[in-house]
Amino acid sequence: MNTVLAFDLGATSARGIVYTFSSGCLEEKEIYRFTDYQIFHQEKPEIYWNFPKLLKEIKTIISIAAQSYQIDSIGFDSWGCDFGLINKEGELVMLPLCYQTMLFEENLHYGHDLPPCFQEKTGIANASINTSSQLLFLKEHYPDALLNADKLLMIPDLIHYFLTGQVLAESSIASTSQLFDMKQQQWSLELIKKLALPPTIFSTIVLPFTKVGDFKTEKYSIPIHSVIQHDTASAVYALPTNEDTNYFLSSGTWSVLGQKTECGLILENPLDNQYSYEQAGDGKVLKLQNLLGMWFIEEALHEVNAKQPLTIQEVQTMLAENQPLRFFFNNQDPIFSNKGKFVATLKKYGEENQFPLLKTASQLFLTIYQNLAFKYAHVFTNLMDKPSKTIFLFGGGSKSSFLNQLIADLTQCQVAVCTSESSALGNALAQLAALNFLRTRDNLVAVIQQHQPPFYFIPTINKPYTTLYQEYLQFTQQ
């Protein structure tokens, strides 16, 4: 029997899950999950990660797990872009900046004027949340932090450092930074110099499946391995398929729609600037579009719950009881991304475009869900050379049967809903591969299929929404 501990750190919640592998079968046991590790600045529109709390919770979970299991390995995956700075004494220079800081209206401009070579070399489009943009923000607002920094470490690598003392950078999480050269598979010294940063703050790139070091206490010493540390790539690694090319939707706070394919197939053609290109961690490349997704639902729930208690389960019931609503908005338009202002902005936008007034909670949520489905369908249509048999769907948003079925109907592809803990599962599988307990992709897929086979939504003919989708396309393309 082999046992690994997978930490999946999300933007709103984190969890530690023990996976036990025996006789080709995988069992999981969540130790616990925790939330509230963001700190909001009292005077400025800035959000930080409470890294001391994050590290304390991680150590507590390890301690609890080690009391009941003989842990063979620990691995960490997380959201992309964010990082911590440590000084020569090995201390945090400041709390890590949260990417959500860069979504405030006054910060949206950071990074948008970076020269084309940033996207050409890294495959990552200019955006305010990128690591490169956050560094520009720090240079303007906190220059001393950068002057005092000895190393820059992405969030999983920062955790590795404080648990093992090792300073390394895993390739998939590094590739989210807009500073990782896609062809050279290394940090881009050219781009780093354009930001006037010392190259020495960037550490050695390692591949997934590498032993980083050991977490040692008086009672135990547990190896830590670099897994596929970007949570999206980790979840894609856990898809139950052997196909060379596949399509997926990570449905969480962010919606990440994409295609996983061979690196050579991507690099032999000019990169399409409407997509981002990141390392899949297993030698392949992810061609992605990043969109705000369940963030809109979270914002709407926060607004509605201020007046009436409403659960996400009750929202799903509402959706099934309503007819399609002719109200369209483009969820990529930055006017809708201001935290705390989304619902008011949407209602004002509706009035300006003579859409129906959103008087009820059901109308509000239906508008969001149907527009998400419309956007997803449009992206997948452009992404696929020909209709795919299957779109794999995972993440917290996959719990909405209404959304899943609507995606299937609009794309005419079956939607395979995988485990909502796909990132943690991919994390565990990568550890088992690093330990040589899983030797081939065939072995891995067999384990996934046995552990939790996907649930399928089969496309139907849905004339009301198909007709409305065509109107959506005409409206958004004006």
Side-chain angles (χ1 to χ4, degrees):
M1 184 169 68
N2 313 110
T3 304
V4 299
L5 175 57
F7 282 92
D8 175 36
L9 312 176
T12 54
S13 68
R15 70 283 293 154
I17 302 176
V18 167
Y19 288 85
T20 302
F21 183 59
S22 178
S23 302
C25 296
L26 202 61
E27 293 185 3
E28 67 180 69
K29 171 66 176 177
E30 183 179 295
I31 302 303
Y32 70 80
R33 61 183 59 214
F34 57 97
T35 58
D36 300 324
Y37 41 90
Q38 291 182 342
I39 295 177
F40 292 77
H41 198 291
Q42 292 184 344
E43 300 174 356
K44 303 176 183 178
E46 297 175 7
I47 306 172
Y48 295 87
W49 296 111
N50 188 343
F51 190 77
K53 176 179 179 178
L54 197 64
L55 199 60
K56 181 180 178 182
E57 296 281 11
I58 286 168
K59 289 180 177 179
T60 301
I61 289 175
I62 294 174
S63 176
I64 293 171
Q67 292 175 24
S68 302
Y69 300 92
Q70 182 70 38
I71 306 294
D72 296 307
S73 173
I74 303 173
F76 298 87
D77 68 81
S78 82
W79 66 95
C81 299
D82 291 354
F83 59 91
L85 300 170
I86 54 176
N87 59 24
K88 290 183 178 179
E89 289 72 42
E91 302 166 335
L92 273 177
V93 172
M94 60 185 290
L95 290 175
L97 190 69
C98 173
Y99 71 88
Q100 292 177 15
T101 298
M102 310 306 294
L103 293 175
F104 286 113
E105 188 172 4
E106 48 267 67
N107 297 329
L108 289 172
H109 66 282
Y110 283 99
H112 280 271
D113 293 331
L114 287 173
C117 59
F118 275 80
Q119 182 168 5
E120 291 166 0
K121 281 193 171 293
T122 68
I124 304 294
N126 291 350
S128 62
I129 64 171
N130 291 340
T131 307
S132 52
S133 304
Q134 293 188 40
L135 287 165
L136 292 174
F137 175 89
L138 292 180
K139 286 185 73 173
E140 182 173 337
H141 295 276
Y142 299 96
D144 289 347
L146 287 173
L147 289 174
N148 293 327
D150 183 57
K151 293 295 177 186
L152 179 153
L153 294 171
M154 306 301 279
I155 294 298
D157 299 317
L158 188 66
I159 295 167
H160 288 169
Y161 171 74
F162 279 99
L163 295 182
T164 71
Q166 298 299 311
V167 178
L168 296 169
E170 184 271 327
S171 59
S172 74
I173 197 75
S175 74
T176 69
S177 66
Q178 209 197 25
L179 295 170
F180 182 85
D181 190 307
M182 188 175 174
K183 292 182 179 178
Q184 299 299 321
Q185 301 283 293
Q186 290 292 338
W187 296 113
S188 172
L189 299 182
E190 177 188 339
L191 301 183
I192 290 167
K193 288 178 181 178
K194 285 186 180 294
L195 294 180
L197 295 170
T200 52
I201 68 174
F202 294 88
S203 52
T204 302
I205 296 288
V206 297
L207 296 174
F209 321 112
T210 301
K211 182 179 177 182
V212 175
D214 297 288
F215 176 56
K216 299 178 181 179
T217 71
E218 294 179 356
K219 296 181 179 179
Y220 45 78
S221 176
I222 306 175
I224 292 180
H225 287 88
S226 64
V227 293
I228 299 172
Q229 289 175 194
H230 185 208
D231 52 7
T232 301
S234 181
V236 173
Y237 182 68
L239 295 183
T241 177
N242 266 331
E243 294 182 12
D244 292 334
T245 299
N246 45 68
Y247 299 90
F248 58 87
L249 165 59
S250 171
S251 181
T253 301
W254 286 86
S255 294
V256 185
L257 299 84
Q259 172 191 28
K260 180 179 180 179
T261 192
E262 299 292 342
C263 184
L265 294 176
I266 293 291
L267 296 181
E268 68 184 14
N269 298 306
L271 299 183
D272 189 331
N273 61 14
Q274 64 179 318
Y275 298 102
S276 292
Y277 298 83
E278 297 176 9
Q279 300 300 300
D282 58 358
K284 295 189 177 184
V285 170
L286 305 180
K287 181 179 179 181
L288 307 170
Q289 267 208 14
N290 293 277
L291 317 167
L292 282 174
M294 291 302 112
W295 181 85
F296 295 110
I297 301 299
E298 294 160 9
E299 287 284 299
L301 271 175
H302 180 76
E303 177 86 9
V304 170
N305 279 326
K307 300 176 182 178
Q308 64 178 93
L310 189 67
T311 66
I312 192 66
Q313 291 77 19
E314 290 170 331
V315 169
Q316 301 309 309
T317 303
M318 287 179 177
L319 296 173
E321 296 172 349
N322 281 271
Q323 296 298 311
L325 189 66
R326 192 186 178 282
F327 190 122
F328 309 124
F329 75 97
N330 183 356
N331 60 359
Q332 283 184 292
D333 191 327
I335 68 168
F336 298 114
S337 64
N338 288 326
K339 193 173 180 64
K341 299 180 181 179
F342 164 64
V343 173
T345 301
L346 185 66
K347 289 181 176 180
K348 181 181 178 182
Y349 172 85
E351 292 173 5
E352 292 172 350
N353 287 278
Q354 298 182 328
F355 290 141
L357 297 178
L358 302 180
K359 296 180 179 180
T360 66
S362 61
Q363 291 174 320
L364 172 62
F365 286 105
L366 179 63
T367 297
I368 297 170
Y369 273 106
Q370 70 182 24
N371 277 276
L372 285 176
F374 293 158
K375 187 66 177 182
Y376 298 159
H378 183 49
V379 172
F380 278 122
T381 299
N382 291 334
L383 196 59
M384 297 174 181
D385 294 330
K386 55 184 179 180
S388 174
K389 292 180 180 178
T390 306
I391 295 171
F392 293 96
L393 202 157
F394 50 85
S398 67
K399 296 176 182 177
S400 173
S401 295
F402 174 85
L403 181 61
N404 299 343
Q405 187 61 57
L406 190 52
I407 295 169
D409 293 346
L410 295 175
T411 62
Q412 286 299 292
C413 299
Q414 67 177 1
V415 170
V417 177
C418 306
T419 170
S420 60
E421 300 294 353
S422 288
S423 294
L425 177 59
N427 180 327
L429 293 169
Q431 291 183 68
L432 291 170
L435 295 166
N436 288 318
F437 300 139
L438 289 174
R439 297 181 181 275
T440 69
R441 180 71 194 180
D442 286 339
N443 293 154
L444 185 144
V445 170
V447 169
I448 299 169
Q449 290 281 15
Q450 182 279 328
H451 175 63
Q452 189 167 341
F455 182 84
Y456 291 92
F457 287 81
I458 307 303
T460 63
I461 303 301
N462 188 334
K463 288 187 178 181
Y465 274 106
T466 300
T467 301
L468 198 64
Y469 173 50
Q470 295 304 316
E471 288 190 54
Y472 165 87
L473 292 176
Q474 291 175 6
F475 178 83
T476 54
Q477 290 171 7
Q478 289 176 355

